[in-house]
Each structure stands twice: as structure tokens, then as C-alpha cells.
């Protein structure tokens, strides 16, 4: 596995990925699985967050403690990343959430930005880009470029399923960005869908499959 690419081997995550992939998993269950897998990946991706030592009063005495000092930003790629953002917010409720809408032009396969709520005035120490699927890598590459133009010092990508082609493109374009993945699949098909994949993550979360 290349440097900065972290493929989770957590047994509880792998167990959930099996159900996430299954074609008969209904949207309600699919959303729960996305939430739980995203939380496991976030715990792995956030292990290097910076802490500050403090003292807190317990009912009996003062206790040494540590509190988070890194300012965290979450960037879910609309719409499929929404379920991941809600999951991560349970761990970092004070995080800033910036929604970014990108879609892939089916003719050119290039990312098109249609919605951007990122703030140039934000003060963030580390930003987590959240997108269930890393296929061609085009949307992730463009999203990271946008974040870098805003001066975000540390960026990490968290995804559920990735294709080798997307990982390669992301590593080539942004070698400083770490990837945290639940599964790395075999290839993209002629329509640039991940194989074996799990279908369309947005449709499966929100019950809009054709």
C-alpha cells in the first residue's frame, strides 16, 4: 500500500462493509452502515489531532486532562457525503461543516462545481474531505485544490470504497494528502463505475435508485 494510503482492517468495519455492498440492503440500513463506517474511519484518521494539557476538578480532586485544540473542518461532497458528515459531527460537534457540490460530467468525466459554501475567512487547522466513493478521483482532486487555495494547512480524505485509478490520480496530484479507506476495489468499468463497488452511494442512501 502506498504511503499516506490507509486501508482499514478493523474487523467491525469489514463486517459492515459486507452489508453495505449487498444489493438488497435497504436505504435505512444503508444509511446506518455509512454512519458507522465513517465513524470508525474518522477515529483512525484523527489519531494525530493536537491536544492541550489542562486541569479539571472532579468531585474529589483536581485531575490532569487533555482537550482538543485543533480546529476541525468537514467538507462533505454533495450529496453522498452528507451521511458521513453527520456521523463525524457526533465526535466533533464544534467542527465547521462546509458543503461542496461537485458532479462528474458523464461525457468528459471531468468534475463540475455547482455549489460551494467554503469560506475564505475560515480558520481551520485540519480538514477532512468526506466522499463515499473515490472512482476516477477527479472530484476529490478538484475539491482538495479548492481547499488548498483557501490555505488549509492539513487535508485528509475519508472514503468508503475506492478504485485503484482514483487512488493513483489523487496520489499524483496531491501526494501530501492522506487517504483513509474502508475498501480498495479492483478497477473501474467502461462507464467509470467502481467494480465490484456498491452502486450509487447517493441513490442508495436516499432511496432514489432508478
Amino acid at each position: 500500500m502506498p504511503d499516506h494510503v490507509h486501508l482499514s482492517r478493523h474487523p467491525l468495519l469489514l463486517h459492515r462493509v459486507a452489508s453495505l455492498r449487498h444489493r438488497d440492503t435497504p436505504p435505512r440500513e444503508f444509511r446506518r452502515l455509512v454512519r458507522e463506517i465513517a465513524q470508525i474511519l474518522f477515529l483512525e484518521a484523527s489519531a494525530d489531532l493536537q491536544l492541550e494539557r489542562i486541569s479539571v476538578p472532579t468531585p474529589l480532586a483536581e485531575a490532569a486532562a487533555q482537550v482538543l485544540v485543533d480546529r476541525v473542518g468537514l467538507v462533505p461532497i454533495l450529496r453522498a457525503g452528507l451521511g458521513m458528515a453527520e456521523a463525524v459531527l457526533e465526535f466533533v460537534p464544534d467542527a465547521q461543516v462546509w458543503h461542496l457540490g461537485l458532479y462528474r460530467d458523464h461525457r468528459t468525466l471531468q468534475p463540475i462545481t455547482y455549489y460551494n459554501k467554503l469560506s475564505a475567512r475560515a480558520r481551520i487547522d485540519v480538514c477532512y474531505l468526506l466522499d463515499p466513493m473515490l472512482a476516477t478521483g477527479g472530484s476529490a482532486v478538484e475539491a482538495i485544490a479548492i481547499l488548498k487555495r483557501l490555505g488549509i494547512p492539513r487535508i485528509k480524505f475519508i472514503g468508503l470504497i475506492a478504485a485503484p485509478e482514483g487512488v493513483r490520480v489523487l496520489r499524483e496530484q496531491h501526494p501530501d494528502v492522506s487517504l483513509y479507506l474502508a475498501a480498495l476495489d479492483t478497477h473501474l468499468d467502461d462507464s467509470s463505475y467502481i467494480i465490484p463497488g456498491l452502486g450509487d452511494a447517493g441513490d442508495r442512501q436516499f432511496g432514489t435508485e432508478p
Side-chain angles (χ1 to χ4, degrees):
M1 193 62 59
D3 290 343
H4 297 298
V5 179
H6 305 271
L7 185 61
S8 180
R9 307 315 301 166
H10 197 295
L12 296 179
L13 177 143
L14 298 177
H15 175 79
R16 284 163 172 77
V17 169
S19 297
L20 189 77
R21 289 188 188 274
H22 200 291
R23 65 184 182 187
D24 295 332
T25 299
R28 179 178 179 180
E29 178 70 5
F30 192 91
R31 289 191 298 270
R32 181 185 67 81
L33 292 164
V34 167
R35 183 177 68 253
E36 293 176 353
I37 293 170
Q39 288 178 335
I40 295 171
L41 288 172
F42 179 71
L43 288 176
E44 296 181 353
S46 60
D48 61 348
L49 286 173
Q50 299 300 302
L51 298 168
E52 179 181 64
R53 295 183 182 277
I54 65 167
S55 178
V56 298
T58 78
L60 300 177
E62 289 290 317
Q66 299 181 75
V67 294
L68 189 68
V69 293
D70 270 341
R71 297 164 296 184
V72 174
L74 308 177
V75 179
I77 301 298
L78 299 178
R79 66 183 161 140
L82 290 174
M84 297 177 69
E86 290 296 325
V88 173
L89 274 173
E90 294 182 14
F91 287 114
V92 282
D94 293 329
Q96 295 185 40
V97 182
W98 302 337
H99 296 92
L100 185 60
L102 296 163
Y103 70 89
R104 185 175 63 189
D105 185 293
H106 289 291
R107 182 177 58 84
T108 66
L109 300 181
Q110 296 302 305
I112 305 296
T113 303
Y114 67 90
Y115 188 80
N116 184 338
K117 288 297 290 184
L118 277 62
S119 172
R121 297 186 301 274
R123 296 295 180 264
I124 294 297
D125 297 306
V126 56
C127 195
Y128 298 89
L129 182 64
L130 309 171
D131 195 1
M133 311 298 283
L134 180 63
T136 64
S139 293
V141 165
E142 177 62 19
I144 292 168
I146 293 171
L147 291 171
K148 287 184 173 180
R149 288 196 290 269
L150 292 175
I152 305 301
R154 291 154 55 203
I155 303 168
K156 298 186 179 188
F157 177 89
I158 300 179
L160 306 186
I161 310 291
E165 295 90 335
V167 171
R168 182 172 59 251
V169 167
L170 190 50
R171 296 295 301 127
E172 290 173 352
Q173 297 297 316
H174 300 290
D176 57 319
V177 174
S178 296
L179 286 72
Y180 291 82
L181 307 170
L184 181 60
D185 282 7
T186 61
H187 66 285
L188 297 175
D189 68 9
D190 292 339
S191 299
S192 292
Y193 286 103
I194 300 174
I195 303 299
L198 49 72
D200 188 291
D203 284 340
R204 295 198 63 185
Q205 280 186 81
F206 302 113
T208 55
E209 289 186 276

